[in-house]
Amino acid sequence: MLDLSTLNPPQREAVDCTEGPLLVLAGAGSGKTRVITCRIGHLVLHRKVAPESILAVTFTNKAAGEMKERVRELVGRGRTKGMIVSTFHSLGVRILRRDIERLGYKRNFGIYTTSDQLGLVRQALREVSDDGRKVDTEGILWRISGWKNRLIPPDRVQPRLNDPDELLAATIYPRYQRLLMACNAIDFDDIIMLTVRLLQEQPEVLDHWQERFRYIMVDEYQDTNASQYLFVSLLAKKYRNLCVVGDDDQSIYGWRGADVGNILAFEKDYPGCRVVKLEQNYRSTGTILEAANHVIRNNSVRTEKRLWTDAGEGRPIDLVIAQDDEEEASQVVERLQMERYRHNLSFGDFAILYRTNSQSRAFEEQLRFEDIPYVLVGGMQFYERKEVKDALSYLKVIDNPRDEQSLLRIVNFPRRGIGDGTVLKINQWSLEHDCPLLEAFGRVEEIEGVTGAVREKVLAFHRLVEESVRDFRHAGNLAARVKGLFDRLGLEEELYRTIEDPATARRKVENVAEVINSLAAFEERIPGATLSGFLEKVSLMDEDRFAGKDKKEHGKDAVTLMSLHSSKGLEFPFVFLVGFEEEILPHKRTVEEGMPIDEERRLCYVGITRARRHLTITRCLNRKKYGKLQERQPSRFLEEIPGRLLQVHEGSVKKASTEEEAEALAQDFFARMRSMLQQE
């Protein structure tokens, strides 16, 4: 039986309000999922609403599945028949399967994957482009996707005349759509776009679904984009029994089309709607919530609310000020260990959260050095990323010119006009003449079928590798020399040139820069460091993975590393929020481009409110960029947290360069640990 007496007054109000539009502003950790599921149960059990009249929409299949299961537990499996709890896209497919024939498609339409889509883009390109220039098909698809999410059909696109890539994408868009239709296929973005079109153009179809779904609930409403907003508005227009749940303070996906204005304008869109604020937090301590409240109240446009808890103040927030990013990682891992011993915790109780994925490198290395299991969420391990492997391949060839696998990886990165056919001929010639591949590149004039222009490009590549090998024969100053090599190669320019999405390109550039930072840190730690030693360290990290030493990483007993974006919706007893500096949080791009800082502040708010028992914030006085230390400024968000909530820790972490020093540091660590436990 559904017991509503356990709900607090605002939660109970949200559950009881079943008729008319309702906006539930649910602060972090305020029990919004419980409210949604109890509201559905209340409709079915107490208000006797037919289950098939209820629609609940959320953003991920996982969230939809969990919500569906919780509703079944509340009302019983037999009472959920016909009820729809799904994602926006699953709902769209359901509607299209019934009536897409009205738009000229057949009901058995296919949904194309990214590889299928790229194939169609290339086919469309062959119809319009014959100038021979290299075209970024992924970039074209990215632009088309953006237009579709804004509900802009091919005939209404207005490309910027000074942007040749956008002009080309606008030319390809109508051809791409015709090819999709000829294949009786749609892509992922079409699901919502075509569903909205169907509902707008076919009144009887709209009426059918409006009659079917008389009670509609939307979770994470602050994350809806233009097409999803219109989709919901059309379905709810007739009966207006629309309940949206969300938190404008946690709207952090503007970069992918989410519009926080949708939730902020709900009261205007639905005059007379009921507004319920869920402000009691069941997750965090009072200190953590006070810090979060002080930060987020500085946003200029938001709905006023203030999180509170009756769980007590808890400990002050630790603010760790490190000399540089390597010391930051050392401090975090040491404090993690001490908290674990102090409170008898598992590694799974800890999370390290950062603004950009490139920040994970130092923490990954330190955790591996301490043999601490971890899981990297929302991204590949640092040394598994493509751009990192490409950069390391240059270093591997310099260290071992006979590494032919790495040589083949770099022969046309950056692009230098040496095609696959040419490489195949050279490789075949090297096999026939029992000649190392690099030497074969230098003897390309002896190889038949390689034209003069291409031959010069091959010889230039051979000279580049040979000169680089000579340059790295001596130890010392490795990071600076690698930076010089990468600058000479133009790796940064290549990534920006070949990757259409600026945010993706920037992340990859940051990762390449982090390779240099890693090498600089290795030089500091190891006297007389060599390129071979650095590459050996990287290889041994891979060896640990392949040997099965990371089996715990995907279990519960592992430290979680993730970006702030990936952390939304999650919680951890102990959180380390790292890199609290200007140009990291808030991000450099936001500051330099003069963009509103509100979304970066919301991202900070999300990070703070992931912590349940204790929060540690870290920042560096200096941070490596391309291997050289640069002075850093504290994040403006740090100044928004009252000093009385912070306990500041400054000082250096000692680093061991010998086994004896490592043993001494270990003994010191455990002595401090015993002292701490005796004081409690």
Side-chain angles (χ1 to χ4, degrees):
M1 189 66 180
L2 179 63
D3 181 11
L4 301 183
S5 65
T6 58
L7 300 174
N8 66 38
Q11 290 176 333
R12 180 65 183 264
E13 181 184 357
V15 169
D16 279 337
C17 179
T18 58
E19 308 302 312
L22 170 67
L23 170 61
V24 180
L25 292 168
S30 61
K32 70 178 180 64
T33 304
R34 187 179 181 209
V35 166
I36 294 172
T37 53
C38 284
R39 192 172 187 274
I40 295 172
H42 182 56
L43 283 167
V44 173
L45 296 178
H46 301 160
R47 297 295 173 88
K48 306 305 179 183
V49 172
E52 59 268 23
S53 297
I54 297 173
L55 168 66
V57 186
T58 188
F59 275 84
T60 67
N61 288 313
K62 180 181 179 183
E66 291 175 352
M67 188 182 296
K68 191 180 300 183
E69 190 57 37
R70 289 177 68 169
V71 169
R72 284 171 177 165
E73 290 175 2
L74 283 176
V75 305
R77 292 184 179 272
R79 291 190 174 99
T80 60
K81 187 176 181 181
M83 185 186 300
I84 303 298
V85 181
S86 77
T87 64
F88 279 98
H89 288 88
S90 294
L91 176 62
V93 169
R94 179 185 292 268
I95 293 172
L96 291 175
R97 289 290 181 202
R98 181 180 181 272
D99 287 302
I100 198 172
E101 290 173 321
R102 296 169 182 257
L103 299 179
Y105 294 81
K106 297 178 182 177
R107 287 192 186 182
N108 63 338
F109 62 86
I111 302 173
Y112 270 18
T113 63
T114 301
S115 59
D116 298 325
Q117 293 174 262
L118 290 171
L120 288 190
V121 170
R122 284 189 286 269
Q123 186 174 339
L125 275 167
R126 286 194 289 270
E127 298 178 10
V128 301
S129 178
D130 58 359
D131 57 8
R133 74 182 179 100
K134 187 71 175 180
V135 176
D136 180 9
T137 53
E138 291 184 358
I140 290 175
L141 197 58
W142 175 71
R143 290 179 187 271
I144 292 173
S145 175
W147 287 322
K148 289 186 177 185
N149 283 324
R150 298 194 301 275
L151 298 175
I152 302 175
D155 59 351
R156 283 179 35 214
V157 170
Q158 295 181 331
R160 291 167 292 187
L161 299 179
N162 62 348
D163 188 336
D165 291 329
E166 189 164 295
L167 285 167
L168 179 59
T171 303
I172 292 300
Y173 186 9
R175 290 170 169 80
Y176 169 75
Q177 283 303 106
R178 284 199 295 271
L179 288 170
L180 272 173
M181 196 165 185
C183 298
N184 192 40
I186 64 175
D187 63 23
F188 196 69
D189 300 308
D190 280 329
I191 294 173
I192 305 299
M193 186 175 182
L194 291 178
T195 302
V196 169
R197 179 184 156 196
L198 182 65
L199 296 177
Q200 287 178 321
E201 295 179 359
Q202 305 292 329
E204 59 272 33
V205 174
L206 176 61
D207 185 68
H208 169 82
W209 293 108
Q210 287 177 335
E211 286 294 329
R212 167 73 189 273
F213 300 130
R214 299 193 178 203
Y215 293 87
I216 301 173
M217 276 157 279
V218 182
D219 191 17
E220 304 288 7
Y221 190 67
Q222 77 280 351
D223 292 336
T224 54
N225 62 24
S227 59
Q228 293 158 342
Y229 167 81
L230 186 53
F231 186 8
V232 171
S233 300
L234 288 166
L235 291 177
K237 189 174 182 179
K238 187 171 186 177
Y239 289 100
R240 300 180 80 247
N241 294 325
L242 172 63
C243 168
V244 301
V245 183
D247 182 7
D248 53 296
D249 289 336
Q250 296 186 75
S251 179
I252 60 174
Y253 297 118
W255 51 277
R256 69 182 188 195
D259 185 356
V260 68
N262 293 342
I263 193 169
L264 292 173
F266 189 83
E267 292 178 76
K268 181 180 178 181
D269 292 339
Y270 296 89
C273 74
R274 181 86 66 90
V275 179
V276 177
K277 296 180 182 180
L278 305 183
E279 298 172 293
Q280 183 174 359
N281 177 281
Y282 294 92
R283 174 190 299 161
S284 306
T285 65
T287 297
I288 292 169
L289 296 181
E290 188 175 355
N293 286 330
H294 274 277
V295 169
I296 200 63
R297 73 180 185 182
N298 290 281
N299 268 2
S300 54
V301 181
R302 62 182 291 264
T303 306
E304 180 58 36
K305 51 192 167 302
R306 186 175 182 83
L307 294 179
W308 63 276
T309 182
D310 58 10
E313 288 187 9
R315 292 164 54 186
I317 296 168
D318 283 322
L319 171 61
V320 176
I321 303 175
Q323 287 295 321
D324 57 30
D325 32 358
E326 302 302 323
E327 182 183 294
E328 178 186 41
S330 297
Q331 287 270 21
V332 165
V333 173
E334 178 175 307
R335 288 178 177 278
L336 186 154
Q337 289 273 50
M338 293 180 76
E339 294 283 6
R340 179 169 171 264
Y341 283 111
R342 183 181 187 181
H343 300 291
N344 192 27
L345 303 169
S346 70
F347 287 120
D349 291 320
F350 297 90
I352 301 172
L353 309 182
Y354 35 77
R355 174 62 178 85
T356 63
N357 284 323
S358 63
Q359 291 173 258
S360 74
R361 192 271 311 165
F363 299 99
E364 287 186 63
E365 290 188 0
Q366 190 64 31
L367 289 166
R368 285 180 179 271
F369 182 75
E370 298 288 348
D371 200 25
I372 295 174
Y374 70 90
V375 59
L376 193 69
V377 177
M380 289 182 287
Q381 295 188 33
F382 180 77
Y383 290 109
E384 290 295 300
R385 296 165 189 166
K386 179 183 181 302
E387 63 277 8
V388 172
K389 285 186 170 184
D390 290 339
L392 287 174
S393 291
Y394 273 99
L395 305 187
K396 290 179 179 180
V397 169
I398 289 169
D399 184 59
N400 175 20
R402 288 182 174 268
D403 184 347
E404 297 189 352
Q405 190 65 35
S406 296
L407 187 64
L408 290 170
R409 190 176 187 109
I410 66 173
V411 67
N412 212 29
F413 176 77
R415 296 174 185 176
R416 47 176 60 91
I418 304 174
D420 293 342
T422 299
V423 174
L424 186 62
K425 290 175 184 176
I426 297 172
N427 193 36
Q428 186 64 36
W429 189 89
S430 73
L431 293 171
E432 292 172 354
H433 292 76
D434 194 23
C435 170
L437 184 57
L438 181 59
E439 182 182 334
F441 277 109
R443 296 170 60 182
V444 68
E445 293 174 331
E446 303 175 35
I447 302 174
E448 293 183 7
V450 181
T451 62
V454 176
R455 188 183 303 141
E456 286 305 313
K457 294 174 182 176
V458 172
L459 290 173
F461 172 67
H462 179 261
R463 286 194 297 272
L464 169 71
V465 175
E466 291 280 287
E467 290 168 6
S468 300
V469 170
R470 288 195 296 272
D471 185 45
F472 280 83
R473 278 179 181 166
H474 305 289
N477 210 21
L478 293 174
R481 281 190 281 166
V482 168
K483 182 184 184 303
L485 172 64
F486 288 177
D487 287 346
R488 178 183 175 188
L489 292 167
L491 296 191
E492 181 174 326
E493 293 83 354
E494 174 75 359
L495 290 169
Y496 278 121
R497 184 170 58 251
T498 57
I499 299 172
E500 182 72 23
D501 179 13
T504 301
R506 188 163 38 249
R507 287 195 297 271
K508 291 181 180 293
V509 166
E510 289 171 353
N511 288 337
V512 171
E514 199 60 32
V515 172
I516 301 171
N517 295 341
S518 177
L519 185 50
F522 181 74
E523 285 188 278
E524 289 179 7
R525 189 178 296 153
I526 307 296
T530 63
L531 191 58
S532 295
F534 173 71
L535 293 171
E536 180 181 296
K537 181 203 75 166
V538 173
S539 297
L540 288 176
M541 290 178 71
D542 281 344
E543 181 182 65
D544 286 348
R545 180 168 54 85
F546 291 125
K549 293 185 179 180
D550 291 342
K551 286 181 180 177
K552 288 185 180 180
E553 288 186 6
H554 298 284
K556 293 183 179 179
D557 194 20
V559 178
T560 299
L561 274 68
M562 61 167 53
S563 70
L564 288 168
H565 282 102
S566 297
S567 72
K568 185 170 173 291
L570 302 177
E571 58 184 68
F572 303 90
F574 288 76
V575 167
F576 292 88
L577 183 50
V578 301
F580 226 69
E581 300 149 31
E582 287 292 300
E583 300 188 351
I584 294 180
L585 185 66
H587 196 274
K588 181 179 180 180
R589 174 181 56 87
T590 303
V591 176
E592 288 184 343
E593 297 179 6
M595 299 167 63
I597 213 75
D598 287 19
E599 184 155 323
E600 291 291 306
R601 187 176 279 109
R602 291 195 290 265
L603 200 54
C604 176
Y605 173 84
V606 166
I608 292 172
T609 55
R610 297 313 93 193
R612 283 163 42 196
R613 292 174 57 182
H614 186 58
L615 173 66
T616 300
I617 293 172
T618 71
R619 77 171 185 89
C620 295
L621 298 175
N622 305 280
R623 192 173 289 273
K624 291 186 184 70
K625 184 174 182 180
Y626 294 112
K628 292 186 177 181
L629 287 177
Q630 293 187 353
E631 187 175 349
R632 308 296 302 181
Q633 297 300 318
S635 169
R636 68 191 69 187
F637 304 145
L638 186 58
E639 298 175 3
E640 296 170 356
I641 300 175
R644 58 185 169 78
L645 302 179
L646 301 172
Q647 185 167 329
V648 182
H649 305 271
E650 297 182 74
S652 299
V653 173
K654 297 178 182 178
K655 298 177 182 179
S657 57
T658 65
E659 290 187 10
E660 291 77 11
E661 289 182 14
E663 178 64 26
L665 289 177
Q667 293 298 327
D668 177 64
F669 169 79
F670 285 110
R672 284 185 286 125
M673 200 65 253
R674 286 192 294 271
S675 175
M676 182 185 297
L677 292 172
Q678 289 169 0
Q679 292 173 10
E680 294 187 343

